[in-house]
Amino acid sequence: SEVTVNDDGGAVHTGTGAAVTVGRSEKMSKSLKNVVDPEAIIGRYGADTARWFMLSDSPPERDLEWTDAGAAGASRFVQRLWRMFEEGTEAVPPPGSEPPDGVSEGDAGALRAATHRTVAKVTADVERFRFNVAVARIHEYANTLGEAVARATPDAALAWALREALETMALLV
């Protein structure tokens, strides 16, 4: 944010206008002694975003490359989930409600099947320490869940399946 790229491709310091040489991008690593304290990302985006970024960006055996774009993407996802929960919880029955008839059929059945498949896959990925793959599956499930929230209707079966799906998403994340 302190460097601006000109139309000719040259970089200058935003405050002074002095020319800046752009170096190559390096991964952060304790062995390279170039680690960045995550407090800046936590201060800007919050701890949930920092945690999500760390899990989603890289497999555990590779060094993590902290980027503003990566943190911003994680922040957008966290905000998307927040909005989904706000919108989705308006249409669902209270916690502990008994499932109505037809909850295993139609749109409700499809949502429940996607929920249970996702739990099985994410569980397997976490057990294998493939956190970035688990996060990718959660992103896919968020798309399914977002569609269900958008379709929320007075249909009692779909509303019940949506509550189950939202609770599951909260637990997975």
Side-chain angles (χ1 to χ4, degrees):
S1 63
E2 295 180 14
V3 176
T4 305
V5 178
N6 293 331
D7 293 336
D8 64 0
V12 295
H13 185 273
T14 304
T16 64
V20 175
T21 303
V22 178
R24 64 186 178 96
S25 176
E26 288 187 19
K27 289 194 178 217
M28 283 188 5
S29 169
K30 284 192 258 182
S31 64
L32 295 174
K33 298 186 179 7
N34 66 348
V35 294
V36 174
D37 190 347
E39 285 186 30
I41 288 179
I42 292 171
R44 184 169 181 187
Y45 297 106
D48 291 334
T49 293
R51 284 186 204 104
W52 194 253
F53 175 66
M54 285 189 288
L55 288 173
S56 65
D57 194 55
S58 181
E61 68 273 3
R62 288 192 4 223
D63 290 332
L64 175 66
E65 185 174 342
W66 288 87
T67 63
D68 243 4
S75 178
R76 283 190 303 275
F77 183 72
V78 169
Q79 295 304 315
R80 177 180 172 211
L81 287 178
W82 184 264
R83 286 188 307 274
M84 214 181 314
F85 275 84
E86 283 186 325
E87 293 170 18
T89 54
E90 294 174 7
V92 300
S97 298
E98 290 295 317
D101 291 336
V103 77
S104 296
E105 302 165 2
D107 287 343
L111 179 57
R112 292 194 76 210
T115 298
H116 293 264
R117 267 194 317 273
T118 301
V119 168
K121 290 177 181 179
V122 168
T123 300
D125 290 331
V126 168
E127 288 172 352
R128 292 182 184 99
F129 297 102
R130 296 172 28 186
F131 302 117
N132 60 323
V133 177
V135 166
R137 292 189 197 282
I138 291 171
H139 276 266
E140 291 170 5
Y141 182 57
N143 293 335
T144 301
L145 186 53
E147 292 168 8
V149 168
R151 286 193 323 261
T153 65
D155 176 8
L158 182 57
W160 191 91
L162 182 57
R163 166 166 289 288
E164 179 185 50
L166 288 167
E167 289 173 349
T168 300
M169 177 61 92
L171 292 170
L172 288 173
V173 170

